[in-house]
Amino acid sequence: VEPIAQGRAKYEVRSDRRKWNIEVEKVLDAAAVEFFVNGQSVGTRPIVLGTAELELSTQDGANPPVVTQTSKIRVKNAETGAVILRAN
């Protein structure tokens, strides 16, 4: 586990759209990360200058995961599967 990695996520629901954005920063030991919600992979992104960001929006044709306060969010090293960051 990378103790200094930090992250934030934002989930937006409106009558005509859903949007989910997650960002992880201060990642030291990974070339790419994979984002998970409730055990399901929702995307992989490269680490650039210690940071990776994923944004999914129905307006762009994506199918963002449904996220609640009890959702389990994980960010893992895409190569090793090691958990870099977790919420819930």
Side-chain angles (χ1 to χ4, degrees):
V1 175
E2 271 192 54
I4 66 165
Q6 298 176 349
R8 62 186 149 271
K10 181 179 178 183
Y11 184 63
E12 179 182 324
V13 178
R14 295 188 181 181
S15 61
D16 61 337
R17 67 177 176 224
R18 280 183 314 164
K19 181 177 175 182
W20 189 63
N21 176 279
I22 184 167
E23 181 179 357
V24 63
E25 54 191 23
K26 298 185 180 178
V27 178
L28 303 178
D29 296 328
V33 292
E34 188 169 3
F35 298 93
F36 292 83
V37 176
N38 296 324
Q40 184 169 347
S41 175
V42 294
T44 302
R45 292 292 183 266
I47 297 295
V48 178
L49 299 175
T51 302
E53 182 176 13
L54 175 68
E55 183 172 292
L56 301 171
S57 173
T58 53
Q59 286 186 308
D60 299 329
N63 187 21
V66 174
V67 179
T68 67
Q69 289 181 337
T70 60
S71 293
K72 291 178 175 29
I73 298 171
R74 303 287 184 266
V75 181
K76 297 181 181 182
N77 181 315
E79 290 183 1
T80 67
V83 175
I84 294 172
L85 195 63
R86 70 180 72 217
N88 286 353

